Amino acid sequence: MAAKMNPDLKKERDGASFDPEKIVNFLYGGPDRVRRRREVVSLALDDPDFQHEDLNFMSREQQYETQLKKSILVVQKQKELGLVSPEDMGNYNYNGVFKGMSGPFGLHTSMFLPTLRGQATAEQKAKWLKMAENYAIIGTYAQTEMGHGTFLRGLETTSTYDPQTQEFVLNTPTPTGTKWWPGCLGKTSNYCVLMAQLYIHGKSYGPHPFMVQIRSLQDHKPLPGVTVGDIGPKFGYAGNDNGFLRFDNVRIPRDNMLMKYSRVEPDGTYVKPPSSKLAYGTMVQVRSFIVSEASDSLAKAVTIAVRYSCVRRQSEMKPGHPEPQVLDYVTQQYKLFPYLAAAYAFMLAARSMIFVYFRSMEKIGRGDITVLPELHALSSGLKSLSSWVMNAGIEECRMACGGHGYSHASGIPSIYMEHTPAATYEGENTVLMLQTARYLMKSYNQSLQGEKLAGSVAYLSGVQPVPVAGRTRNVLDLNVLIQAFQHRAARLVHEAALQLKKERQTGKDQPDAWNAASVDLVKAAKAHSQYFVVKNFADRLTDPALDSAARAVLTRLCQLYALHDIVNSSGDFLEDGYLTGSDIRQARRHINALMAKLRPDAVALVDAFDFPDGILNSILGRYDGNVYQHLLEWAKASPLNKTDVHESYYKYLKPFLEANRAKL
């Protein structure tokens, strides 16, 4: 029998102005895809083979063993169930079984397989890809080192070609050259795609990918010359064996270098790729999916905090009256609603980014590599912006849940621990923003030469940012908001370019000038990325899948998202007089009015993210709102409560107390 719903949550849902199912269909691609998504997720959530003790009550070793067992079951059951599409497998595996967490096969599917598919020749695919796809071998992607991460040219692991034997000799020359952090490396993988500096006849040709066996296929022990292990406990990812890896004169055949784009001939002749950026494809794909991961993680935290804020009643707003729901406090709305809006904004940005990625890869497959620089810049900027906002938003949601938010029962600490590394993995955010800035500077200079720009930088074509002061604006108008964000981005790109030029004029060389102007460059890249997110949100509101009620509530979220950033970054808009103090004051008033309008729809809006309890994994965020009885049951299940008296009492506390009493 279904549990009775908390009356406050029932009232919230009954009072919504729109049908959440309309937005669910809008977010996830229509009724058929939503139906399929729910069906596949339920296959995982309802399978007793995936039921186990709460991971929070397990040791790290138990968590790893549990997640490894589940990973193997996933592979077997996906075949049995006929789940072959990437969408089905993602919903079953990542969402349903692992609930948005990373398992011991995570890097095998997210990096190892895509790299083989994207950078191996047809002959190399025939040799390794079928084995990898059928899990006859398990691989990881070994790029990051103890001393270098985002800066690939600084990698120290070497691969030196020996033309006499037609082999590459792998070495780790320094402690800082130790591969460090790759997931699935510590105990799981027996192969890796290794990024190492290629040396031929004493000359360096930069980092290249190599297919390397690191463990025996018979007993799983490290091969001669290979030192590999787990890096130890981390902030999160307890079930994942992030590892370290070192090589001491390990020899691999010449054809173990992935040679789709560049190759080494038997005599040592190096054949360079048509573009040095072609190898970025896998990383761009991963960064595109991180935007989706960030939006989903923020959406989960907001869902928990909003639902709990409607269940929780606190203090007396008016003496003698019942305690109000916490979400009725405007300060609570101001904490949560901007992040609710941000979750929607980045969810829509992620869908657009992934669409751009696949469209671009089709062009690249036809030989058109001109799309790569913009694709790299856009994915870098959005990955950085979304993960920064996600990190801040999850922590705000935790604090908005009061003391209970600190408990693992809330689900929020796990979300934070699992996803906060997105700000540093697959490219540290500030470094990535500077890569976006490099593309912006190049595009801006092209526009000064009269070139017409397209895509995400089209707004820079011929733009010389000129303030338009003294104009009265309706800052609720989405076109006005888009123009404001476009103006800010164009102005900050322009000013960053001027600052860079000034630094050069003082006598600095280009690298020193770039470093001196880097704060302005990052600011410009953030503004560019934010403009994309706002414009994309507004553009998506024209989708015919939305009815008038759903479009109205999403329009309010879009307005809130934009206005909140304008108020928080008001200096950017006031600095050149584009907006006035009156505009900012108007924006503040509109934010309060928008929050009041969104308040009755808050629960329905988080329901529209469509996270079942099994995925949300939160006592505080339960769909039925029955928080307190389940919170007590969860606490009773703690291993510390298996006995009324813990064994440490007899070992330590009892003799301590008895000795003290004897002295009295």
Side-chain angles (χ1 to χ4, degrees):
M1 183 178 175
K4 185 178 179 182
M5 188 178 296
N6 176 283
D8 284 327
L9 274 189
K10 185 177 187 308
K11 182 180 177 183
E12 296 287 337
R13 292 184 172 113
D14 290 344
S17 71
F18 69 98
D19 178 4
E21 200 69 8
K22 298 291 185 183
I23 293 182
V24 175
N25 292 334
F26 167 67
L27 289 177
Y28 298 106
D32 291 340
R33 291 179 73 178
V34 168
R35 194 178 307 111
R36 179 61 177 170
R37 176 178 177 271
R38 289 170 174 168
E39 176 188 340
V40 170
V41 167
S42 293
L43 286 172
L45 295 180
D46 297 340
D47 190 331
D49 287 343
F50 295 124
Q51 308 303 316
H52 53 75
E53 183 183 12
D54 191 317
L55 290 171
N56 293 301
F57 297 150
M58 295 184 189
S59 68
R60 183 162 179 245
E61 289 77 7
Q62 289 171 324
Q63 288 193 49
Y64 169 70
E65 185 175 338
T66 298
Q67 300 294 62
L68 179 60
K69 178 183 176 184
K70 284 162 58 178
S71 297
I72 293 167
L73 283 170
V74 163
V75 174
Q76 295 168 342
K77 287 175 181 284
Q78 282 180 162
K79 288 182 180 179
E80 292 169 8
L81 295 167
L83 304 178
V84 294
S85 74
E87 190 171 356
D88 277 354
M89 289 192 290
N91 283 324
Y92 184 80
N93 180 354
Y94 183 73
N95 290 326
V97 175
F98 290 101
K99 303 173 174 56
M101 299 169 72
S102 177
F105 288 177
L107 264 284
H108 179 86
T109 55
S110 68
M111 290 295 291
F112 184 69
L113 286 173
T115 304
L116 288 180
R117 290 170 183 145
Q119 299 190 45
T121 63
E123 294 79 9
Q124 290 173 326
K125 289 178 183 177
K127 182 177 181 180
W128 294 309
L129 188 56
K130 185 177 180 181
M131 286 199 299
E133 289 177 335
N134 286 278
Y135 291 84
I137 59 174
I138 306 291
T140 186
Y141 185 82
Q143 175 173 294
T144 299
E145 295 177 352
M146 189 183 290
H148 288 91
T150 307
F151 182 55
L152 295 190
R153 283 175 293 155
L155 295 179
E156 297 177 76
T157 302
T158 60
S159 179
T160 304
Y161 185 63
D162 181 353
Q164 300 299 318
T165 61
Q166 294 188 29
E167 293 174 314
F168 292 103
V169 185
L170 307 177
N171 275 292
T172 306
T174 63
T176 51
T178 304
K179 294 299 178 184
W180 197 268
W181 280 114
C184 320
L185 173 63
K187 294 296 175 185
T188 307
S189 296
N190 45 38
Y191 272 81
C192 74
V193 169
L194 175 76
M195 289 298 290
Q197 298 284 0
L198 171 62
Y199 282 88
I200 307 172
H201 303 310
K203 180 180 177 181
S204 172
Y205 288 87
H208 285 70
F210 299 85
M211 181 72 164
V212 184
Q213 183 178 347
I214 57 175
R215 287 185 169 97
S216 165
L217 299 185
Q218 280 69 49
D219 60 12
H220 207 58
K221 289 183 179 178
L223 294 181
V226 174
T227 302
V228 61
D230 181 86
I231 65 170
K234 308 166 292 284
F235 190 58
Y237 274 55
N240 202 328
D241 55 324
N242 298 80
F244 63 82
L245 177 64
R246 292 179 59 82
F247 297 97
D248 183 10
N249 289 316
V250 174
R251 287 179 172 265
I252 59 173
R254 180 182 65 89
D255 60 7
N256 275 38
M257 174 178 161
L258 299 186
M259 296 193 193
K260 181 176 181 180
Y261 298 121
S262 58
R263 67 181 187 274
V264 175
E265 301 289 8
D267 64 357
T269 301
Y270 177 73
V271 181
K272 66 180 182 180
S275 168
S276 61
K277 296 180 174 62
L278 280 170
Y280 290 175
T282 303
M283 199 64 74
V284 168
Q285 178 185 12
V286 171
R287 288 172 185 159
S288 300
F289 285 114
I290 288 174
V291 183
S292 181
E293 174 193 312
S295 64
D296 283 359
S297 302
L298 179 57
K300 288 175 184 176
V302 170
T303 298
I304 293 165
V306 165
R307 285 179 180 168
Y308 181 59
S309 294
C310 290
V311 170
R312 180 78 172 187
R313 290 179 171 271
Q314 190 71 42
S315 304
E316 287 183 340
M317 196 180 293
K318 298 177 181 178
H321 286 69
E323 293 180 272
Q325 294 164 282
V326 172
L327 199 60
D328 286 338
Y329 290 98
V330 174
T331 50
Q332 187 79 343
Q333 295 169 25
Y334 195 75
K335 290 176 186 177
L336 297 179
F337 288 1
Y339 286 113
L340 171 61
Y344 272 93
F346 286 114
M347 200 169 276
L348 296 175
R351 306 293 189 269
S352 297
M353 179 70 243
I354 291 168
F355 173 78
V356 168
Y357 168 77
F358 283 114
R359 186 180 62 187
S360 299
M361 293 311 291
E362 288 175 5
K363 292 182 179 179
I364 292 167
R366 296 194 297 268
D368 179 6
I369 61 175
T370 60
V371 297
L372 264 173
E374 181 184 17
L375 182 63
H376 175 64
L378 186 60
S379 66
S380 296
L382 289 180
K383 180 268 188 188
S384 301
L385 181 64
S386 63
S387 57
W388 270 329
V389 173
M390 173 202 69
N391 270 308
I394 294 172
E395 177 65 358
E396 189 71 74
C397 289
R398 181 190 69 77
M399 293 189 291
C401 289
H404 292 328
Y406 189 67
S407 168
H408 273 297
S410 73
I412 295 179
S414 294
I415 297 171
Y416 188 77
M417 290 190 302
E418 286 293 317
H419 299 288
T420 187
T424 48
Y425 63 46
E426 312 308 341
E428 193 277 333
N429 280 358
T430 301
V431 175
L432 289 187
M433 277 295 187
L434 286 169
Q435 292 180 15
T436 300
R438 198 172 297 278
Y439 177 71
L440 293 175
M441 292 300 101
K442 182 179 179 180
S443 299
Y444 179 74
N445 288 329
Q446 288 172 337
S447 76
L448 294 181
Q449 301 301 316
E451 292 187 35
K452 186 170 178 60
L453 305 178
S456 65
V457 291
Y459 68 96
L460 293 176
S461 283
V463 171
Q464 294 297 320
V466 177
V468 185
R471 194 198 304 171
T472 301
R473 293 178 176 81
N474 173 13
V475 294
L476 278 180
D477 186 313
L478 291 181
N479 287 324
V480 169
L481 292 171
I482 291 169
Q483 289 166 11
F485 278 84
Q486 176 182 304
H487 174 86
R488 175 178 68 165
R491 180 178 72 82
L492 291 179
V493 168
H494 172 71
E495 292 193 356
L498 287 180
Q499 185 61 32
L500 192 57
K501 184 178 179 181
K502 288 177 184 176
E503 297 294 346
R504 289 300 307 274
Q505 289 170 345
T506 65
K508 295 185 176 76
D509 60 17
Q510 179 64 22
D512 285 340
W514 184 266
N515 183 43
S518 59
V519 172
D520 295 299
L521 290 163
V522 168
K523 194 169 184 179
K526 284 172 105 172
H528 167 75
S529 303
Q530 191 71 294
Y531 165 59
F532 177 91
V533 173
V534 170
K535 186 176 186 303
N536 180 74
F537 198 158
D539 289 347
R540 292 296 305 277
L541 295 176
T542 62
D543 193 310
L546 294 170
D547 63 13
S548 58
R551 183 173 292 108
V553 73
L554 289 178
T555 298
R556 292 182 194 117
L557 281 178
C558 184
Q559 292 166 330
L560 176 61
Y561 178 77
L563 289 172
H564 187 260
D565 188 66
I566 285 175
V567 168
N568 278 3
S569 309
S570 56
D572 291 348
F573 298 92
L574 293 169
E575 201 169 59
D576 68 340
Y578 184 79
L579 292 183
T580 66
S582 176
D583 291 328
I584 302 300
R585 286 190 292 274
Q586 184 189 157
R588 285 200 181 95
R589 289 194 297 272
H590 284 314
I591 286 173
N592 277 5
L594 285 167
M595 291 194 305
K597 290 179 180 178
L598 287 166
R599 169 63 187 88
D601 287 323
V603 169
L605 280 166
V606 299
D607 285 351
F609 290 134
D610 203 36
F611 297 125
D613 284 346
I615 287 181
L616 206 56
N617 208 26
S618 168
I619 302 295
L620 301 191
R622 291 175 59 92
Y623 183 84
D624 64 15
N626 295 319
V627 170
Y628 299 115
Q629 60 270 45
H630 288 96
L631 187 58
L632 180 59
E633 290 169 11
W634 181 86
K636 287 179 177 178
S638 168
L640 278 175
N641 292 323
K642 286 182 178 177
T643 59
D644 287 334
V645 180
H646 194 265
E647 61 181 18
S648 62
Y649 168 78
Y650 301 103
K651 292 166 66 176
Y652 306 113
L653 187 56
K654 181 182 177 183
F656 175 73
L657 293 172
E658 288 177 344
N660 287 339
R661 284 197 290 266
K663 295 175 185 177
L664 297 178

